[in-house]
Short mmCIF file of all heavy atoms in Angstrom, two decimals:
data_model
loop_
_atom_site.label_atom_id
_atom_site.label_comp_id
_atom_site.label_asym_id
_atom_site.label_seq_id
_atom_site.Cartn_x
_atom_site.Cartn_y
_atom_site.Cartn_z
N MET A 167 0.83 -1.19 0.00
CA MET A 167 -0.01 -0.01 0.04
C MET A 167 0.86 1.24 -0.01
O MET A 167 1.73 1.40 0.84
CB MET A 167 -0.85 -0.02 1.29
CG MET A 167 -1.79 1.14 1.33
SD MET A 167 -2.63 1.23 2.98
CE MET A 167 -1.25 1.68 4.01
N ALA A 168 0.67 2.14 -0.96
CA ALA A 168 1.50 3.35 -0.99
C ALA A 168 0.93 4.41 -0.03
O ALA A 168 -0.28 4.40 0.28
CB ALA A 168 1.51 3.90 -2.42
N LEU A 169 1.79 5.24 0.46
CA LEU A 169 1.35 6.31 1.35
C LEU A 169 0.93 7.54 0.54
O LEU A 169 1.59 7.88 -0.43
CB LEU A 169 2.49 6.68 2.27
CG LEU A 169 3.00 5.59 3.22
CD1 LEU A 169 4.34 5.94 3.76
CD2 LEU A 169 2.00 5.37 4.31
N ASN A 170 -0.19 8.13 0.92
CA ASN A 170 -0.68 9.26 0.08
C ASN A 170 -0.57 10.64 0.75
O ASN A 170 -0.94 11.60 0.15
CB ASN A 170 -2.10 8.97 -0.33
CG ASN A 170 -2.14 7.78 -1.23
OD1 ASN A 170 -1.33 7.67 -2.17
ND2 ASN A 170 -3.05 6.85 -0.96
N SER A 171 -0.09 10.72 1.96
CA SER A 171 -0.03 12.01 2.64
C SER A 171 1.24 12.09 3.47
O SER A 171 1.98 11.15 3.53
CB SER A 171 -1.24 12.14 3.54
OG SER A 171 -1.26 11.05 4.41
N VAL A 172 1.45 13.26 4.08
CA VAL A 172 2.62 13.36 4.98
C VAL A 172 2.33 12.62 6.25
O VAL A 172 1.26 12.81 6.85
CB VAL A 172 2.97 14.85 5.29
CG1 VAL A 172 4.10 14.92 6.24
CG2 VAL A 172 3.19 15.60 4.04
N LYS A 173 3.21 11.73 6.60
CA LYS A 173 2.95 10.95 7.82
C LYS A 173 4.07 11.27 8.83
O LYS A 173 5.17 11.51 8.40
CB LYS A 173 3.06 9.47 7.41
CG LYS A 173 2.50 8.52 8.46
CD LYS A 173 2.40 7.12 7.92
CE LYS A 173 2.23 6.20 9.07
NZ LYS A 173 0.86 5.82 9.36
N GLU A 174 3.66 11.31 10.08
CA GLU A 174 4.74 11.60 11.11
C GLU A 174 4.96 10.37 11.93
O GLU A 174 3.96 9.79 12.44
CB GLU A 174 4.25 12.79 11.97
CG GLU A 174 4.10 14.05 11.13
CD GLU A 174 4.33 15.31 11.98
OE1 GLU A 174 4.58 15.22 13.16
OE2 GLU A 174 4.17 16.42 11.34
N VAL A 175 6.19 10.00 12.16
CA VAL A 175 6.56 8.87 12.96
C VAL A 175 7.78 9.22 13.77
O VAL A 175 8.48 10.22 13.46
CB VAL A 175 6.82 7.59 12.16
CG1 VAL A 175 5.59 6.98 11.60
CG2 VAL A 175 7.88 7.84 11.08
N ASP A 176 8.09 8.43 14.77
CA ASP A 176 9.36 8.70 15.51
C ASP A 176 10.56 8.26 14.67
O ASP A 176 11.53 8.93 14.59
CB ASP A 176 9.31 7.90 16.83
CG ASP A 176 8.59 8.64 17.94
OD1 ASP A 176 8.05 9.76 17.61
OD2 ASP A 176 8.58 8.22 19.08
N VAL A 177 10.44 7.03 14.10
CA VAL A 177 11.58 6.56 13.31
C VAL A 177 11.11 6.02 11.96
O VAL A 177 10.10 5.31 11.89
CB VAL A 177 12.26 5.33 14.08
CG1 VAL A 177 13.47 4.84 13.27
CG2 VAL A 177 12.71 5.75 15.47
N LEU A 178 11.80 6.45 10.92
CA LEU A 178 11.56 5.93 9.58
C LEU A 178 12.64 4.90 9.28
O LEU A 178 13.82 5.25 9.35
CB LEU A 178 11.61 7.05 8.53
CG LEU A 178 11.59 6.56 7.07
CD1 LEU A 178 10.32 5.83 6.70
CD2 LEU A 178 11.89 7.71 6.10
N ILE A 179 12.24 3.69 9.04
CA ILE A 179 13.22 2.67 8.66
C ILE A 179 13.05 2.43 7.14
O ILE A 179 11.97 2.06 6.67
CB ILE A 179 12.93 1.34 9.41
CG1 ILE A 179 13.08 1.57 10.94
CG2 ILE A 179 13.94 0.27 8.97
CD1 ILE A 179 12.61 0.39 11.78
N VAL A 180 14.13 2.64 6.38
CA VAL A 180 14.03 2.46 4.92
C VAL A 180 14.56 1.07 4.60
O VAL A 180 15.75 0.79 4.73
CB VAL A 180 14.84 3.52 4.19
CG1 VAL A 180 14.62 3.42 2.69
CG2 VAL A 180 14.47 4.93 4.68
N GLY A 181 13.67 0.16 4.17
CA GLY A 181 14.05 -1.20 3.78
C GLY A 181 13.60 -2.23 4.79
O GLY A 181 13.85 -2.09 5.98
N ALA A 182 12.90 -3.28 4.29
CA ALA A 182 12.44 -4.37 5.13
C ALA A 182 13.23 -5.60 4.87
O ALA A 182 12.70 -6.70 4.71
CB ALA A 182 10.96 -4.63 4.89
N GLY A 183 14.58 -5.47 4.83
CA GLY A 183 15.47 -6.66 4.79
C GLY A 183 15.65 -7.09 6.26
O GLY A 183 14.95 -6.60 7.17
N PRO A 184 16.62 -7.98 6.49
CA PRO A 184 16.85 -8.41 7.85
C PRO A 184 17.17 -7.29 8.83
O PRO A 184 16.73 -7.30 10.00
CB PRO A 184 18.08 -9.33 7.71
CG PRO A 184 18.17 -9.71 6.30
CD PRO A 184 17.47 -8.60 5.52
N THR A 185 17.87 -6.27 8.37
CA THR A 185 18.25 -5.15 9.24
C THR A 185 16.99 -4.38 9.64
O THR A 185 16.79 -4.09 10.82
CB THR A 185 19.24 -4.21 8.52
OG1 THR A 185 20.30 -4.98 7.98
CG2 THR A 185 19.76 -3.13 9.41
N GLY A 186 16.27 -3.92 8.62
CA GLY A 186 15.06 -3.11 8.90
C GLY A 186 14.04 -3.87 9.74
O GLY A 186 13.48 -3.30 10.71
N LEU A 187 13.84 -5.16 9.46
CA LEU A 187 12.87 -5.94 10.28
C LEU A 187 13.30 -6.10 11.68
O LEU A 187 12.54 -5.95 12.60
CB LEU A 187 12.63 -7.30 9.58
CG LEU A 187 11.89 -7.21 8.21
CD1 LEU A 187 11.91 -8.55 7.50
CD2 LEU A 187 10.43 -6.76 8.42
N ALA A 188 14.63 -6.40 11.87
CA ALA A 188 15.13 -6.62 13.26
C ALA A 188 14.98 -5.32 14.03
O ALA A 188 14.55 -5.34 15.21
CB ALA A 188 16.57 -7.12 13.21
N LEU A 189 15.29 -4.23 13.44
CA LEU A 189 15.18 -2.92 14.12
C LEU A 189 13.69 -2.63 14.44
O LEU A 189 13.39 -2.15 15.52
CB LEU A 189 15.77 -1.81 13.32
CG LEU A 189 15.76 -0.42 13.94
CD1 LEU A 189 16.49 -0.38 15.28
CD2 LEU A 189 16.31 0.63 12.99
N ALA A 190 12.83 -2.91 13.46
CA ALA A 190 11.41 -2.62 13.67
C ALA A 190 10.85 -3.46 14.83
O ALA A 190 10.09 -2.96 15.65
CB ALA A 190 10.66 -2.89 12.40
N VAL A 191 11.32 -4.73 14.95
CA VAL A 191 10.86 -5.58 16.04
C VAL A 191 11.35 -4.97 17.35
O VAL A 191 10.60 -4.84 18.35
CB VAL A 191 11.38 -7.01 15.85
CG1 VAL A 191 11.22 -7.84 17.17
CG2 VAL A 191 10.69 -7.72 14.70
N ASP A 192 12.63 -4.59 17.42
CA ASP A 192 13.18 -4.08 18.64
C ASP A 192 12.47 -2.77 19.06
O ASP A 192 12.17 -2.59 20.26
CB ASP A 192 14.72 -3.85 18.44
CG ASP A 192 15.40 -3.79 19.79
OD1 ASP A 192 14.80 -4.16 20.84
OD2 ASP A 192 16.58 -3.40 19.83
N LEU A 193 12.21 -1.92 18.09
CA LEU A 193 11.53 -0.65 18.43
C LEU A 193 10.10 -0.92 18.86
O LEU A 193 9.57 -0.26 19.80
CB LEU A 193 11.59 0.34 17.24
CG LEU A 193 13.02 0.86 16.91
CD1 LEU A 193 12.88 1.77 15.71
CD2 LEU A 193 13.61 1.60 18.11
#
Side-chain angles (χ1 to χ4, degrees):
M167 181 189 70
L169 297 164
N170 294 314
S171 55
V172 177
K173 193 171 165 96
E174 296 207 4
V175 287
D176 277 3
V177 181
L178 168 67
I179 300 171
V180 186
T185 309
L187 291 169
L189 181 61
V191 167
D192 200 11
L193 292 179

